[in-house]
Amino acid sequence: MLPFIIRRLLISIVVLFVSTFGVFILQAHSGNPLATLTQRQPPPPPSTINALKDQLHLNVPSPLRYFYWLGGVLHGDLGKNINNIPVKSQIFARLGTTLELVFLAMIVALILAVLAGVISAVKQYSLVDYSTTFLGFILISIPTFWMAGLLKDVAIRINQSAGSQIFSFSGQSTPDYSGGFFGTISDRASHLILPTITLALISYASWSRYQRASMLDVLNSDYLRLARAKGVPWRKVLIRHGLRTALIPLTTVVAVGFGGIIGGAVVTETVFDWHGMGEYLLQAASTIDTNEMLAWLLMSATAVVVFNLIADILYAVLDPRIRLG
């Protein structure tokens, strides 16, 4: 197991290097990051512009600028943005906000996908199977921003009907809210519900289809029929033998889909006005800030690499026949 993990980590380092270098080159040739600063009225003095150019290494070739940035990363420094604010402090303040949303959405989507996939497979061609299939195809076809807008509209109607603020639509919490410990938790939950459901439903739609297909393959396998022939209770056969094997393909899908969830979080955070990594990425793109863009990519790529590594390790846990060496 340890040699496998070390080998995967070394490969992951190469992947991170190539991806960050590619984005750096594209970002470096997409425009002047100081353009908005030079267009201010009155414009800043030339000495300020030259100092920023030296600080951001804009006077040297792009590949050399990348290695300046990489050297800083190896020392724990992600550089400064065009406003001379350390990127590290900004991005870590937003990282927790996004991870809270993403992990909660993944847990909800995974639970719903496994339940729907198993029930659909066990009750194949039944009304339940057709209903979950129809719902899955609808959710797969809906763009994230449209889903978020639809949920906001439904939540507004529910609030109006109930005559109280059940759902909140903007930010992570109510500003200056002081309602005690349980009141704060309730307020936080009201802000989490809609963006979590938005991300969870989009992921659930595809994951449930994979789980159904995988479960159908397992249900038709010989070893499951043998267990039933030996008199093993159906529920035990289904959960202990069938579900455990059927989860292996879903593990890969969830690990790969983590990157898609992060991408969906960018749109979701924008719609619900969350101040997380999604908003940070859009700000970096609008100002052509290379350091901010690379910091976002580095955090996102690292998270995807870690999830894929966890998925590989889970293979050996779910299927004893798999050996990682």
Side-chain angles (χ1 to χ4, degrees), residues 148-187:
L150 178 64
L151 288 177
K152 287 184 72 171
D153 182 68
V154 172
I156 290 173
R157 297 176 186 274
I158 293 176
N159 284 351
Q160 291 174 346
S161 301
S164 61
Q165 189 75 11
I166 300 175
F167 300 101
S168 300
F169 316 108
S170 178
Q172 301 98 277
S173 60
T174 303
D176 301 325
Y177 180 83
S178 57
F181 176 74
F182 292 103
T184 302
I185 293 178
S186 176
D187 176 69

Side-chain angles (χ1 to χ4, degrees), residues 49-167:
I49 300 297
N50 292 330
L52 283 173
K53 286 183 177 180
D54 292 336
Q55 175 186 310
L56 299 174
H57 306 293
L58 297 179
N59 296 321
V60 299
S62 299
L64 185 58
R65 285 173 55 196
Y66 172 78
F67 285 102
Y68 276 125
W69 174 83
L70 184 61
V73 171
L74 295 178
H75 289 85
D77 181 16
L78 297 177
K80 296 182 179 180
N81 62 12
I82 58 176
N83 296 317
N84 203 31
I85 300 174
V87 173
K88 184 178 180 179
S89 60
Q90 287 186 317
I91 201 163
F92 278 105
R94 295 170 177 266
L95 185 61
T97 299
T98 297
L99 290 181
E100 177 186 10
L101 175 61
V102 168
F103 281 130
L104 186 58
M106 284 188 66
I107 293 172
V108 173
L110 192 57
I111 293 173
L112 292 177
V114 171
L115 289 175
V118 171
I119 294 174
S120 297
V122 173
K123 299 183 178 296
Q124 187 181 17
Y125 303 133
S126 65
L127 179 60
V128 175
D129 184 24
Y130 287 128
S131 299
T132 54
T133 300
F134 180 71
L135 177 62
F137 284 140
I138 289 179
L139 294 176
I140 290 174
S141 306
I142 296 178
T144 305
F145 71 89
W146 198 88
M147 172 69 75
L150 178 64
L151 288 177
K152 287 184 72 171
D153 182 68
V154 172
I156 290 173
R157 297 176 186 274
I158 293 176
N159 284 351
Q160 291 174 346
S161 301
S164 61
Q165 189 75 11
I166 300 175
F167 300 101

Side-chain angles (χ1 to χ4, degrees), residues 118 211 214-249 317-321:
V118 171
Q211 181 63 28
S214 178
M215 198 67 193
L216 284 174
D217 290 338
V218 172
L219 290 176
N220 295 322
S221 61
D222 293 335
Y223 73 92
L224 234 63
R225 294 174 182 172
L226 178 61
R228 290 296 309 278
K230 287 183 175 181
V232 180
W234 170 238
R235 181 173 296 182
K236 184 176 181 180
V237 171
L238 184 65
I239 297 176
R240 185 172 180 179
H241 301 286
L243 180 58
R244 182 175 178 177
T245 305
L247 285 175
I248 296 176
V317 176
L318 295 171
D319 190 348
R321 298 172 298 178

